[in-house]
Amino acid sequence: MKPQLIGGEWVASPSARPNINPSDTRDVIDAYAQADGEQAAAAVAAAAQAFPAWSRGSIQRRSEILDAVGSELIARAAELGQLLAREEGKTLSEGVGEVTRAGQIFKFFAGEALRLTGDALRSVRPGVEVSVTREPLGVVGLIAPWNFPIAIPAWKAAAALAYGNTVVLKPAELTPGCAWALAEIIQRAGAPDGVFNLVMGPGSVVGAALTDDPRVAAVSFTGSVATGARVGQACMARNARVQLEMGGKNPLVVLDDADLDLAVECAVNGAFYSTGQRCTASSRLIVTEAIHDRFVAAVVERLKGLVVGHALESGVHIGPVVDEKQLQVDCDYIEIGRREGARLLFGGERVSRPTPGHFLTPALFTEADNSMRIAREEIFGPVAAVIRVRDFDEALAVANDTPFGLSAGVCTTSLKHATAFRQDACVGMVMVNLPTAGVDPHVPFGGAKGSSYGPREQGRYAAEFYTRVKTAYAFAG
Ligand code: NAD
């Protein structure tokens, strides 16, 4: 059993959960300890105890620890990328890429630990000086989803630690392996006992223990809208700081003047890579009249060439869906799309491979309408719907007609339309001639409307969540 990390000790739990490879359900990666409320509380207590020394300690030391974590992640990207692909179902190259990115994030925040700034001002009262500093919050609870099992824990934990907070991380039930490896690396890199704690277990028990504990000053959550609402309410009820990164129904607009090959690449990558299991996936392809048929035909041609299969096999472009439950959700939505009158032009079939896994061919709907459920609700699988529109104005209106607002893309060669889209898309991230998914690690990440709540993650904007501003006045006498 892979144990919990609480106060620097590796602790077993009364029960464990098998971590199963979605590419081959006979392959059990390991059993991971499942915490109860008591263990979660012990992790919070350990983090609270470690906080004073960590927050007041040497920022040079903090920076060195984060840098060492980053170096080890990058050095072990091949091995950990394989673990990631094995437990989550991303392809090996996607897994290696994600681990490398996690390493880069730690290195970025190793620098940020030394760069935190404030303001020094003169007071309106003569002889009085004013300083504005950023202080750490205390214990932060980090609740992560399964779809980026190392990058999301990394971008939360590296920022929290850099600014002097202590951490309790709760990974998703389906993907504890990468989080466990990360905890082991952070501990070995020299984080003092209790600075970083890992508690694995069910969200309703371990997640709720973090959101409800008065010693947890802030909770950073990434996951579904439904869980996010619960986490937000629990935190707000006790005035804890909370950050919610949730779902998306991201539009990719393709205009008549787009470079067709580029648009097809953006659509196929954005909608189907990582098996469509990205919060930034392009699930709505909004296409203007004159390019519509050529675009659809070219996307179908590309889809025919994509290989769906075991995530660790070379030559595979699309790995399995993460588990049977999510596969059923995807299939149900494909049925819903059909019943709503959209045309399933390609894929959307469960397929068998030599290993028993959750394989689904990428599904492309055409003749979809933005009012259909497949265009309004996040499916979180390899399913995209093409919506035909007249012109740019209608494309923009349809793109914005959604409760979500994470990412939006436009493929066009018109500066005028690219500029207007960048300005008027109601989202946190806009992509011009790029897929809606795929972001840099050193700039802010987050959305608008129902996709996000609270300050941005990543880049130096992360300080807005993980620090509290303090204003100090001093009169020298
Ligand atoms: P989920 O909401 O089911 O679970 C997320 C986490 O919350 C898990 O660790 C889970 O155990 C925990 N949890 C469950 N119930 C809880 C409770 N009552 N209290 C506290 N924590 C609880 O989401 P998921 O299925 O793991 O991930 C998929 C979702 O994540 C999708 O909606 C996707 O769009 C979203 N996502 C968003 C972003 C983003 O940055 N916007 C990034 C990745 C994924």
Side-chain angles (χ1 to χ4, degrees):
M1 177 195 298
K2 286 275 195 282
Q4 319 282 358
L5 177 61
I6 300 174
E9 301 286 325
W10 293 101
V11 189
S13 296
S15 65
R17 178 187 163 117
N19 186 1
I20 294 168
N21 180 350
S23 297
D24 181 351
T25 53
R26 299 165 305 186
D27 176 25
V28 178
I29 295 158
D30 213 326
Y32 288 80
Q34 296 294 287
D36 52 16
E38 236 169 75
Q39 280 192 321
V44 173
Q49 205 185 344
F51 175 68
W54 177 251
S55 57
R56 292 193 203 114
S58 156
I59 56 168
Q60 182 61 39
R61 182 77 196 113
R62 250 188 242 165
S63 173
E64 285 164 5
I65 292 168
L66 296 177
D67 191 60
V69 173
S71 296
E72 182 164 343
L73 286 169
I74 291 167
R76 292 174 57 195
E79 168 214 340
L80 294 174
Q82 188 176 42
L83 171 66
L84 197 164
R86 198 172 154 211
E87 74 171 344
E88 199 267 352
K90 263 175 212 183
T91 63
L92 185 55
S93 64
E94 289 171 336
V96 172
E98 187 181 330
V99 175
T100 305
R101 176 168 161 205
Q104 290 161 346
I105 289 167
F106 268 91
K107 286 190 168 280
F108 175 84
F109 282 105
E112 287 303 281
L114 303 174
R115 277 195 291 264
L116 189 60
T117 57
D119 292 318
L121 300 92
R122 290 178 63 188
S123 166
V124 295
R125 289 166 283 177
V128 173
E129 306 242 302
V130 181
S131 67
V132 181
T133 51
R134 287 193 173 270
E135 314 277 321
L137 305 172
V139 178
V140 298
L142 309 180
I143 302 177
W146 49 263
N147 68 323
F148 282 96
I150 200 153
I152 290 178
W155 80 49
K156 293 184 189 300
L161 296 172
Y163 299 128
N165 303 284
T166 54
V167 164
V168 180
L169 169 66
K170 190 219 119 28
E173 290 89 322
L174 290 175
T175 54
C178 288
W180 195 92
L182 179 64
E184 200 265 334
I185 292 171
I186 293 174
Q187 193 65 16
R188 214 157 18 73
D193 292 349
V195 164
F196 182 91
N197 304 273
L198 174 76
V199 275
M200 301 168 286
S204 55
V205 177
V206 180
L210 297 182
T211 58
D212 295 348
D213 194 316
R215 295 168 297 181
V216 176
V219 173
S220 177
F221 166 87
T222 301
S224 63
V225 170
T227 313
R230 229 172 287 142
V231 167
Q233 279 162 10
C235 289
M236 282 174 225
R238 59 180 188 82
N239 282 337
R241 190 176 284 206
V242 65
Q243 173 181 58
L244 308 172
E245 285 300 340
M246 300 169 286
K249 197 72 201 172
N250 310 291
L252 176 73
V253 168
V254 178
L255 297 179
D256 289 347
D257 62 16
D259 173 325
L260 183 64
D261 292 344
L262 183 62
V264 170
E265 199 46 46
C266 289
V268 171
N269 175 320
F272 301 114
Y273 283 17
S274 298
T275 322
Q277 297 174 149
R278 293 188 283 191
C279 51
T280 47
S282 323
S283 45
R284 293 184 297 146
L285 307 174
I286 301 167
V287 187
T288 46
E289 286 284 2
I291 199 170
H292 179 278
D293 294 355
R294 278 182 296 140
F295 171 80
V296 167
V299 169
V300 168
E301 270 320 296
R302 274 283 277 120
L303 294 183
K304 283 181 188 161
L306 293 184
V307 178
V308 177
H310 194 300
L312 294 174
E313 261 173 33
S314 66
V316 165
H317 300 104
I318 298 186
V321 172
V322 72
D323 70 355
E324 182 56 36
K325 200 169 136 212
Q326 181 64 48
L327 179 58
Q328 195 51 54
V329 170
D330 297 348
C331 293
D332 287 350
Y333 270 107
I334 289 166
E335 192 44 42
I336 288 167
R338 273 205 189 108
R339 269 192 271 122
E340 284 179 314
R343 179 170 170 221
L344 183 62
L345 192 66
F346 185 89
E349 286 154 357
R350 290 179 80 134
V351 281
S352 303
R353 291 291 176 262
T355 52
H358 314 295
F359 301 108
L360 180 68
T361 53
L364 185 73
F365 278 104
T366 55
E367 315 307 327
D369 184 286
N370 201 45
S371 64
M372 292 175 177
R373 285 182 63 194
I374 56 164
R376 300 209 79 76
E377 298 169 18
E378 185 185 50
I379 301 172
F380 218 55
V383 185
V386 179
I387 301 168
R388 190 194 294 257
V389 290
R390 275 186 316 276
D391 54 16
F392 174 76
D393 290 342
E394 190 186 357
L396 179 66
V398 169
N400 283 336
D401 177 15
T402 170
F404 296 104
L406 191 54
S407 178
V410 64
C411 291
T412 179
T413 50
S414 151
L415 178 62
K416 180 179 156 208
H417 287 143
T419 306
F421 192 80
R422 208 169 71 184
Q423 207 169 290
D424 295 333
C426 300
V427 290
M429 296 174 291
V430 180
M431 310 290 180
V432 176
N433 294 322
L434 287 165
T436 54
V439 296
D440 283 5
H442 65 301
V443 290
F445 177 95
K449 299 198 285 189
S451 291
S452 300
Y453 179 86
R456 291 287 183 256
E457 301 206 77
Q458 300 202 68
R460 58 192 170 79
Y461 285 74
E464 287 177 16
F465 181 71
Y466 289 105
T467 65
R468 181 183 296 117
V469 166
K470 183 180 274 177
T471 311
Y473 296 83
F475 179 53

